[in-house]
Each structure stands twice: as C-alpha cells, then as structure tokens.
Amino acid sequence: MENQKKDNLFDLWASLYRTRDFLFALRKEELSKHGISPGQSSVIWAINELDNQADNKEISRYTFRKRHSVYEMIARMEKQGLIERKKENTGKKSNTVAVTPKGMQLWKNSRKEGFISEIFSVLTSEECKQLRHCLAKLQNEAIKHLSIETAPITR
C-alpha cells in the first residue's frame, strides 16, 4: 500500500512538472513576440517588486537563479536598453538595477497577452484560490528541504 501511495505522489509530481513545461512553452512563445525571454521577464518582475532598487543578490533571490546567471542576464539586458545600472556610493560591491521605460513597456505589453487568462479560465475562482494555497504549501515545504542560505521569495 505504501508503494502505491509513493507511485501516486510521483505521478502527481510528474503531472505538475509537465503542466509547468506546457505553460512555460506557451509563455515563451508569447514573450518572443515582444522580444523578451521568460528569464528577462522574471528579472524585470523582480526589479519592479523591489521598487527599481534591486541588486544582483536580491534579483537572484527573487528569481531563484544563480547569481552569475543573473549577472550575465543583466549585462545582456543593459545592452538591449531594458535595464540600467545605477552607481551607488553606499559602499556596496554591486550597483542597483532599474528597469528603463523601454523595458517596462515591453514587460507591460507582454502581460497583456491572453493565454494565461485563457488557460486558467477552466478553473473557478475557488479552484484558483485552492491551487494557490496548495502551491504555496508545496513551495514552502520544498524551501525547507533546500540547502540555501536565504529562501527565495514566494508569492
């Protein structure tokens, strides 16, 4: 009986993972129309959440990406004119990063697309609340099991 339960839980996990892959593929396709990648979108989201006063460490924590990956993405995004680094005289090693008007416009435009609303429309408002609650519980439990210095931000 215990093996059956483990098999069911693995099947549930696999279903969640596949759903994430399908949704990610749709989002990637949608974002490509706007000239922005999912990674860039998440960096802009994080900077926006941090009131345009983000540094690499905070962005890394918000997006749950390695710091060197964030650094490289920020460098590319700066070249594209999506973000800008602000020199700070606070003694901190890293500068803060802000979204440019061009980056903010791209990000806002990318959020207007309809696939997210269309896909999630199959769920009732109550089912959306339940799903959010269940996902938050799973995220928080997973964070407990990760060996990380600072937990990522979950919403």
Side-chain angles (χ1 to χ4, degrees):
M1 193 65 159
E2 186 64 28
N3 282 343
Q4 180 67 34
K5 182 179 177 183
K6 286 182 180 179
D7 286 346
N8 289 341
L9 292 177
F10 184 84
D11 290 345
L12 180 60
W13 173 85
S15 179
L16 181 63
Y17 195 83
R18 285 180 50 87
T19 302
R20 178 247 179 234
D21 285 349
F22 295 143
L23 292 173
F24 189 82
L26 284 169
R27 183 67 177 147
K28 185 176 179 181
E29 183 180 305
E30 210 170 65
L31 287 172
S32 70
K33 297 174 189 174
H34 297 281
I36 189 171
S37 72
Q40 290 172 324
S41 178
S42 69
V43 166
I44 291 173
W45 166 80
I47 296 168
N48 193 47
E49 286 289 306
L50 292 160
D51 296 323
N52 266 345
Q53 297 296 313
D55 64 20
N56 291 359
K57 182 178 181 181
E58 292 167 317
I59 295 168
S60 176
R61 190 167 149 244
Y62 260 66
T63 61
F64 198 56
R65 285 180 161 69
K66 302 242 184 259
R67 244 205 235 155
H68 69 276
S69 298
V70 168
Y71 179 83
E72 291 169 2
M73 191 175 306
I74 285 172
R76 285 192 305 273
M77 291 174 73
E78 187 176 31
K79 286 179 185 173
Q80 293 175 297
L82 303 177
I83 60 170
E84 62 187 0
R85 295 179 215 224
K86 296 179 179 181
K87 300 278 185 203
E88 300 285 330
N89 290 331
T90 59
K92 289 170 44 174
K93 288 184 179 180
S94 63
N95 300 319
T96 58
V97 180
V99 181
T100 64
K102 176 184 174 182
M104 186 54 70
Q105 190 61 49
L106 270 177
W107 188 65
K108 284 181 179 179
N109 289 345
S110 76
R111 292 172 57 95
K112 292 179 184 175
E113 293 289 331
F115 108 81
I116 292 173
S117 298
E118 193 175 321
I119 299 293
F120 280 87
S121 72
V122 301
L123 300 176
T124 66
S125 177
E126 184 58 33
E127 288 172 327
C128 286
K129 286 179 189 175
Q130 290 172 355
L131 179 59
R132 182 184 301 269
H133 176 75
C134 291
L135 291 173
K137 286 175 76 171
L138 291 171
Q139 287 174 13
N140 290 333
E141 191 62 24
I143 288 167
K144 288 180 191 176
H145 292 272
L146 289 170
S147 298
I148 54 177
E149 199 172 293
T150 309
I153 303 302
T154 58
R155 300 229 178 251

